[in-house]
Amino acid sequence: SQTIHQWPATLVQPVGSPLSLECTVEGTSNPNLYWYRQAAGRGLQLLFYSVGIGQISSEVPQNLSASRPQDRQFILSSKKLLLSDSGFYLCASDGGYSNQPQHFGDGTRLSIL
Amino acid sequence: EDQVTQSPEALRLQEGESSSLNCSYTVSGLRGLFWYRQDPGKGPEFLFTLYSAGEEKEKERLKATLTKKESFLHITAPKPEDSATYLCAVRQQGSNYKLTFGKGTLLTVNP
């Protein structure tokens, strides 16, 4: 079964600082990878997904970017954080086969001051 | 317009008091409906996938059912450890990847 590792678990950053959140996946090859943001009362919002190394699709325009340098590594970045970037960030993976459930990491709580 | 609506937003039960959570969806062509459990400060944990109307899945005290317009998560004789937020998500025809999530139902089971 898949295991999704995310770090750090919590992060406090000042406005205007850069960001790098990392996600790695164990137990599967060629997974589809996803970044979500979860805000209170608003559900999970898909930010980016990737079907392979170097292949990134963005769902919403924003201050963030994503990269996939290795098959099982997915990185969420920002050059300059905004207050509105605060939230709970979740990485997810599925097996790369269509219509499989996504499995989630335990997330990063990001607070912008 | 929300494609996935969960109700109620919050539900309080006494231990042993059975109930159901609802997930209604309006996507045209359903490829799959997924139920997750999420504990505070954690990522969602996958519970069930349902693919077609009439399908049912069970796990311990939980049973998920699916019709053409909605899904129910039935909780039989719940225990305090069943307290969590339950999320529903759908994948529609034409999408191999994207899941659309509802906002969840916060379930609290009192001892």
Side-chain angles (χ1 to χ4, degrees):
Chain A
S1 62
Q2 300 176 47
T3 303
I4 296 96
H5 300 281
Q6 284 189 248
W7 64 92
T10 59
L11 188 61
V12 181
Q13 293 284 96
V15 170
S17 64
L19 173 74
S20 180
L21 301 181
E22 188 164 345
C23 169
T24 59
V25 180
E26 291 180 359
T28 187
S29 296
N30 304 313
N32 298 322
L33 298 175
Y34 307 83
W35 278 113
Y36 287 88
R37 179 168 54 208
Q38 187 174 33
R42 297 183 61 184
L44 274 76
Q45 180 187 35
L46 179 63
L47 303 176
F48 300 95
Y49 69 90
S50 171
V51 301
I53 296 174
Q55 301 180 62
I56 308 295
S57 296
S58 174
E59 283 292 301
V60 292
Q62 60 205 310
N63 185 41
L64 302 168
S65 62
S67 62
R68 184 172 178 173
Q70 300 181 44
D71 181 45
R72 289 173 290 175
Q73 183 185 29
F74 205 24
I75 297 171
L76 184 68
S77 303
S78 174
K79 292 182 179 179
K80 287 187 177 182
L81 286 167
L82 307 173
L83 284 174
S84 57
D85 292 323
S86 292
F88 190 47
Y89 288 84
L90 289 158
C91 178
S93 167
D94 64 37
Y97 300 97
S98 66
N99 222 12
Q100 295 299 302
Q102 294 175 12
H103 297 273
F104 288 81
D106 275 342
T108 294
R109 175 72 60 189
L110 176 63
S111 299
I112 311 299
L113 303 179
Chain B
E1 178 184 345
D2 288 345
Q3 293 183 307
V4 182
T5 303
Q6 291 189 245
S7 62
E9 291 184 9
L11 179 64
R12 284 186 176 272
L13 300 174
Q14 289 299 121
E15 185 172 2
E17 178 187 3
S18 301
S19 188
S20 297
L21 313 182
N22 178 263
C23 171
S24 62
Y25 58 92
T26 57
V27 296
S28 56
L30 181 73
R31 289 199 69 204
L33 186 142
F34 304 84
W35 281 101
Y36 290 84
R37 170 195 170 122
Q38 186 174 24
D39 293 306
K42 299 291 187 181
E45 175 189 351
F46 170 70
L47 294 173
F48 304 110
T49 307
L50 301 167
Y51 294 106
S52 57
E55 189 174 0
E56 299 181 351
K57 294 275 181 73
E58 285 190 71
K59 179 180 180 180
E60 297 181 354
R61 294 177 292 283
L62 300 177
K63 179 180 177 180
T65 62
L66 181 65
T67 71
K68 289 185 178 180
K69 292 296 182 186
E70 58 190 349
S71 176
F72 292 93
L73 185 65
H74 307 278
I75 303 176
T76 302
K79 298 181 178 181
E81 53 261 44
D82 295 322
S83 297
T85 296
Y86 290 85
L87 299 171
C88 167
V90 301
R91 179 177 282 142
Q92 65 183 79
Q93 295 289 347
S95 172
N96 283 333
Y97 314 111
K98 185 176 180 179
L99 292 182
T100 301
F101 281 83
K103 295 179 181 178
T105 294
L106 175 61
L107 174 67
T108 304
V109 182
N110 296 315

